[in-house]
Amino acid sequence: MPVEETETEVILTLPNDPNTKVTILKYGATIISWENKGDEKLWLSKAAKLDGSKPVRGGVPLVFPCFGKCNDESNPAYKLPQHGFARNSTWEFLGQTTESPVTIQFGLGPEQVDQDLYKLWNDGLYDFTLILSITLGEDHLKTNIEVENTGDKDFKFNWLFHTYFKIPDITDIIVNNFTDAKCYDQLIGETYEEKAPMISFTEEFDRIYKGIDTQKTFQMIELGKVLMNVQRENLPDSVVWNPWIKKSEGLADFEPKDGYMNMLCIEPGHVAEFKNLKSGEKWSGAQILSTGGEIKVQTNIY
Ligand SMILES: O=P(O)(O)OC[C@H]1O[C@@H](O)[C@H](O)[C@@H](O)[C@@H]1O
């Protein structure tokens, strides 16, 4: 059986490999595990709440309709909590849509969102449908989001796949192909161009890389070996985050406390600017995660 559904979760297994599977919590449509040939690729905090009491710390939480806390009073997302409401709403499982490659879908509309939370977004006057498609391959996992404005009012939104990767040791990791990208460093509040040929990690890291050509693949490399390729469709930005020691100490659901050594978030999204979606319009974006392959330095694409 490639697709198993329980009350709270859906498990999708590759038909010809029982050790390649993805587990999705209906709460937040959060992918909480991706095992590739028996090897877990996503980091999930040991203290993550999986009971719907708060967004999941780990896996792939979904960020919509605002990234972070919106500080612009004139923006209808101003009153929403950090990262919006998609990650703390229970999505509807829509079933399997294709067999090869195997794809399943989840849907979210205003009726599934906690009504008090939903009303914080322009008094609940926006109507939308989100369809998340998850495709599992032998060596890849694709998550595609389609946002449709089903109401009569235009709205603007951010989207982000807040992907937590599991890694052996953060100090051995470099990430390539961010060179020359514009970046907003959230820790110092400054915008500059990334000049490092490879990003490496020795302290807290929280940067929004903006407007990067989607032909560029980010590669997470450990001591010369490609652990993960992150490709994007229609998602120009990417946040890179590691809370390091102090920040993770302050996160009650972050365990073990030295877990920052074993995780790195590379988060493809549309967050530097809000995307405007007119009444009746659709927009979609995707991340494609794949394991292995050669190191490819793409400095010639802007
Ligand atoms: O604690 P949260 O709401 O899940 O957010 C985690 C992090 O998410 C990242 O995307 C942000 O860049 C960080 O600033 C933030 O701390």
Side-chain angles (χ1 to χ4, degrees):
M1 275 285 276
V3 184
E4 269 173 77
E5 183 184 3
T6 69
E7 206 184 313
T8 54
E9 286 178 2
V10 177
I11 302 169
L12 172 61
T13 307
L14 207 65
N16 52 2
D17 177 5
N19 295 318
T20 295
K21 57 184 174 187
V22 60
T23 306
I24 305 103
L25 198 65
K26 290 181 189 173
Y27 179 73
T30 316
I31 297 177
I32 52 169
S33 163
W34 170 31
E35 273 181 63
N36 178 255
K37 301 183 177 78
D39 196 11
E40 179 60 57
K41 297 296 172 194
L42 300 176
W43 184 83
L44 180 67
S45 165
K46 297 223 175 328
K49 296 276 182 236
L50 302 179
D51 59 0
S53 57
K54 66 181 290 187
V56 178
R57 175 71 59 204
V60 188
L62 304 175
V63 169
F64 173 90
C66 60
F67 167 74
K69 187 77 192 85
C70 174
N71 293 321
D72 172 5
E73 261 185 79
S74 67
N75 189 313
Y78 178 69
K79 292 184 194 152
L80 283 172
Q82 158 119 332
H83 295 338
F85 51 65
R87 65 176 183 166
N88 35 19
S89 302
T90 300
W91 292 51
E92 187 184 347
F93 178 49
L94 303 174
Q96 184 175 347
T97 52
T98 61
E99 275 189 22
S100 185
V102 56
T103 300
I104 55 172
Q105 289 188 327
F106 292 82
L108 186 79
E111 57 285 2
Q112 277 99 23
V113 180
D114 174 276
Q115 290 305 294
D116 291 338
L117 209 51
Y118 172 56
K119 284 193 187 118
L120 297 177
W121 194 34
N122 201 28
D123 298 323
L125 292 172
Y126 295 142
D127 209 350
F128 63 88
T129 303
L130 303 183
I131 304 284
L132 174 74
S133 303
I134 299 175
T135 303
L136 182 65
E138 241 175 77
D139 287 307
H140 81 272
L141 176 67
K142 177 171 180 177
T143 57
N144 183 89
I145 189 69
E146 184 182 278
V147 182
E148 182 174 3
N149 184 342
T150 44
D152 51 13
K153 291 184 176 48
D154 301 355
F155 61 74
K156 49 186 181 178
F157 66 95
N158 290 144
W159 179 267
L160 176 117
F161 293 105
H162 198 306
T163 311
Y164 288 74
F165 292 108
K166 183 177 176 201
I167 49 170
D169 182 341
I170 186 75
T171 60
D172 289 337
I173 297 288
I174 50 174
V175 183
N176 69 5
N177 295 328
F178 281 102
T179 315
D180 294 331
K182 271 225 169 60
C183 135
Y184 176 71
D185 190 322
Q186 304 219 82
L187 300 174
I188 54 174
E190 276 178 26
T191 298
Y192 52 88
E193 255 177 41
E194 180 59 75
K195 282 298 166 206
M198 304 272 182
I199 309 173
S200 58
F201 306 89
T202 53
E203 58 188 343
E204 186 180 353
F205 199 102
D206 193 353
R207 296 183 194 166
I208 304 172
Y209 290 95
K210 308 175 186 186
I212 307 163
D213 194 306
T214 51
Q215 286 181 68
K216 281 195 179 180
T217 300
F218 310 132
Q219 295 184 300
M220 209 169 63
I221 300 163
E222 183 210 18
L223 307 172
K225 183 179 162 218
V226 177
L227 297 185
M228 191 64 64
N229 303 281
V230 180
Q231 287 171 282
R232 299 156 294 133
E233 287 174 4
N234 206 24
L235 296 176
D237 313 317
S238 189
V239 176
V240 180
W241 181 60
N242 183 294
W244 216 254
I245 303 168
K246 230 172 146 191
K247 175 100 186 184
S248 48
E249 261 169 22
L251 299 170
D253 59 353
F254 195 103
E255 288 288 350
K257 282 301 168 207
D258 62 359
Y260 72 92
M261 290 289 288
N262 304 112
M263 54 77 59
L264 177 64
C265 288
I266 303 177
E267 313 163 23
H270 193 304
V271 295
E273 309 283 342
F274 278 84
K275 169 76 194 162
N276 281 305
L277 201 62
K278 292 204 172 91
S279 163
E281 273 186 356
K282 281 184 187 173
W283 170 93
S284 66
Q287 72 170 2
I288 303 125
L289 313 177
S290 60
T291 56
E294 300 293 309
I295 296 178
K296 286 191 203 108
V297 179
Q298 297 170 292
T299 46
N300 51 344
I301 304 169
Y302 297 101

